[in-house]
Every structure is written in C-alpha cells, then in structure tokens.
Amino acid sequence: MSREMRFTDPGEGIHEAEVVEIMVDAGSSVEEGDSVLAVETDKATTELPAPHGGRVEDIAVEVGDRIQVGDLLLTLAGDDAGDAGDDHGKSTGGAEDDAPGTEETGDRDGASTGDKATEQDRKRRRKGPVPAAPSTRRLARELGVALETIDGTGPGGRVLDSDVRAAAESEETEPEPQSAERDEAAQAEQPAGERKPAPQRRPVPAYEPPDFSRWGEVERVPLRSVRRATAWEMARAWAEIPHVMHHDRADVTALEHFRRDNAEEVEAAGGKLTLTVLVLKAAAAALRAMPRFNASLDADGETVVLKHYCHIGVAVATEQGLLVPVVRNVDRKSVRELAVELTELSRRARDGELTREEMQGGSFTVTNVGGIGGRLFTPIIRHPEAAILGLGRAELTPVATGDLDTPAVYARLLLPLCLAFDHRLNDGAEAAQFVNRMRGSLQDPESLLLAV
C-alpha cells in the first residue's frame, strides 16, 4: 500500500518553504519519525519526519524547489519499515540483498567493498535526524558529504564543521551526487516548461523588463531563502508604511569610556559589551516613556495596539543574510545580562541555529552598520512595528562649544542616529523627543546603570 507525504501547514501564517536537503533515496526504508527532508521556512530550517514507516517509493521534490502547503513531497510503500520487504529484506535492508559481495557469506573478493557499503548503509539508517547546525548541513551539501555517514565529535554526537571537512578529504566518505550550487545551476538551465513553477507571493510587476542579454552575457539565478524572504518583507513594509526619517548625533565620549572600563568584567560573564548593548538600554527607557513607538497599527487601520512589553530585535549580518533575533524584556534586564544574551543570540544567528520563535514578537528594532563601515544610513521599518533605529559609525569629531565671542573646539566621539518611524502613529515632534531622550541616556552612562 502506498501513502503520500505532503507538506503540512507549519502554522504561524507560513504557506511555503524551500527544500534545502533530501535525507533519503528512492528505494530506502524509513521508520516513523525519521527525518526525510529539511526545509527552510522564511528564516528557520526544519527537518520533516516521516509520518509512518515504509520504503521510499518516489521523491516528488528536489533541492531548491519551493513548496506550498499541500504539495506532495514523497510516496512511501508499506505500512512501516518492516512491511517494505519480506523477512529476509528486514535483516539486510531490502533491495541491497541482490547486490553481490554485500552478504556476510558473499565472495571474499568483494568483502572489502561490501564491508564499506554495509557500514555506510548502517550509518544512513540510524534512527532520528543527524544532530548538526544548519550551517554545518549547508557545508556538507557544498562539499558533497552525506551527514549520515559521519560520526560527530561534538557533544552528544553532534556533527561539527571540522567533521564534515575531514570526511570530505577521506576516501571512505560517500559523496553526494551533486552540490547545492550545481543543483541550482541545473535548475536554472532547465527549459521553462520543465521547471517547477514558483508560487506567487505578490502581484506580477506592472512592467516587462527588457531582454538584458541583448547587451551582453547574463546569468539567471533564483532568489532564495533568507534573501527572498527579506525582499518580500521589505517591499511590503515600504509599500504599506509611510516612512519618515529623523537624524541626529549623540555624544558618546563618556559612554565609550564606561564601555572600556567594564568590558573585561562583562567578558568574564560570557558577554561582549558593545555600543549596541548600551543603545538597547537607552532605547528601552525611551520606549517606556513614549509607548506609541512601541506600538503597532491594527489591521483595521483605526486601532493602535500598545504593547506593555519591550522586546527589541537586533539585526545580525550572517552568511545566509540579515537575521533579526529578538531580545525579550530589555527594560527589565541589566547591561551585563543584555550583553551576555545578545552575544549568544548573535552567535546562534551566525551559526544558523535560531528558531522562528526567537525571531518573532519584536516591538522595536535596532540595526548597527558602524562596525562594518558606514557613517549614516536610513533603515526600513520591520512590519508591523512602529519604528526602527539605525546606528552609524561613531567617530571622533571636532565640536565647537561656547559662544560667538569665546568659542572652543573639542574632539568628541559622536554616534549618528537615524530613527525611521511610521507617520501614521507618530509625528516629527514626537520623533525628535524620542531621540532626545535616547541622547540624554547615552550621554549619561550612570542612567543606564540605574535602568534595570
């Protein structure tokens, strides 16, 4: 009896995903609960378990395919793994029995090859998903290594990047048929009529782009995973939210001295004391005083949702793209607690280990390009939040003080600030007051220590 496995609704308003890994082959046997596919939904990678056991009869998707709820993923034959073959097949894995040299009583000439195949098959059939970070899985796909054939050296048998690289260099590792890059290239080279159509998430553009190949060689590659999700969300936010930008600079000279004086103590606790951490505390104080910047406009367009919590998202640049983990209850935590938590969240973001829950529920966002290089920029609000704060590079700047008759010039460390806000919820005057409150906190480090 054949049964279909389809992509079920993962909830939280998600309707599509991208196939990033296929963990089984046609003809292989699986048990109920075995991971058979890995898919990426927006910014989180999830392994899909088999709903029941059996032999994989057909795989209906390929790596790189975009699937929607209800799409067929694969077909399983048999009620469970044991029903997939006869009693003899249960002990040897089914179809592999016909291969010469793989049985215990087979030819001695084929014993070496048979032992190798048996060992790799044993590893492939281990119950449950292989413990590995998404970044490690991505590395394995790029190097053509099957994770199931690796014995992880990390805690609890977790497969590490070093394990994957070692396996790639070993002659005993069975390579995958082709890497993720080749999969994408092959998909792009397929005739349009044979390619799996991508689901439409937004209306088709009102214009027809020109044939760019008229002017030279071009390459067409799909917009994938995080970059695709970012493109959709940013286009939606820009189209639906009337943005206004308020710019200012904060004198963080004293704050930088405070940061340096306390950096070692925070590092000993497992965190990294950065300007971003201190800005989070200043932002929390301003949000508490001016809650309409911590709000959202309801779907009816006539109701303001005031949030009595302060969950601030922090943009983190990763190899996958821009991810925004959310730090909960910023207004209730000390600077040291925030430093430790943000350090761990940032690491997990770069390693691809964040869950969807850790990137949801934000009420305000902070994004800092100063560490990469950028004097100033204007960020786009994350829908459905009311505002986002962009930080530029803090620079020593000559600042004139005094009056026209007795001016004086000093070198001060100035931090550029850009508050992008939803003009439906706040006006320019409120934005100026909000940034002024932040400037006051940043220029007075003692106030940040007291804000717990």
Side-chain angles (χ1 to χ4, degrees), residues 27 55 86 88-89 92-104 106-107:
R55 187 180 302 279
D86 56 21
H88 179 69
T92 61
E96 287 83 348
D97 296 346
D98 296 332
T102 60
E103 296 177 333
E104 293 184 4
D107 294 338

Side-chain angles (χ1 to χ4, degrees), residues 230-311:
T230 301
W232 165 248
E233 292 299 331
M234 292 301 98
R236 177 189 181 189
W238 191 253
E240 295 184 10
I241 301 175
H243 284 62
V244 179
M245 313 295 178
H246 180 88
H247 299 272
D248 208 333
R249 294 186 297 180
D251 185 342
V252 294
T253 309
L255 189 67
E256 177 60 13
H257 286 302
F258 168 83
R259 189 192 69 79
R260 294 180 181 182
D261 291 343
N262 293 275
E264 289 187 6
E265 180 183 345
V266 172
E267 186 174 352
K272 184 176 181 181
L273 186 57
T274 63
L275 272 178
T276 300
V277 172
L278 300 170
V279 167
L280 288 181
K281 287 301 296 181
L287 291 169
R288 186 165 54 242
M290 305 185 68
R292 290 177 75 93
F293 287 95
N294 198 50
S296 290
L297 193 63
D298 209 356
D300 61 11
E302 298 180 353
T303 306
V304 179
V305 181
L306 297 173
K307 302 162 189 172
H308 298 296
Y309 52 83
C310 185
H311 302 338

Side-chain angles (χ1 to χ4, degrees), residues 360-372:
Q360 293 181 330
S363 55
F364 185 80
T365 298
V366 172
T367 175
N368 185 356
V369 299
I372 302 173

Side-chain angles (χ1 to χ4, degrees), residues 337-355:
E337 289 173 326
L338 290 176
V340 172
E341 183 174 348
L342 183 57
T343 298
E344 175 62 14
L345 282 174
S346 298
R347 181 199 66 77
R348 297 184 66 244
R350 288 188 290 269
D351 290 346
E353 298 176 355
L354 290 176
T355 64

Side-chain angles (χ1 to χ4, degrees), residues 120 123 139-140 143-152 159-175:
Q120 290 192 353
K123 291 181 179 180
L139 177 63
L143 297 181
V145 175
L147 283 176
E148 297 84 354
T149 65
I150 303 175
D151 290 321
V159 177
L160 308 177
D161 287 1
S162 57
D163 299 328
V164 174
R165 292 190 177 93
E169 297 173 359
S170 173
E171 295 181 357
E172 296 181 359
T173 301
E174 180 183 2

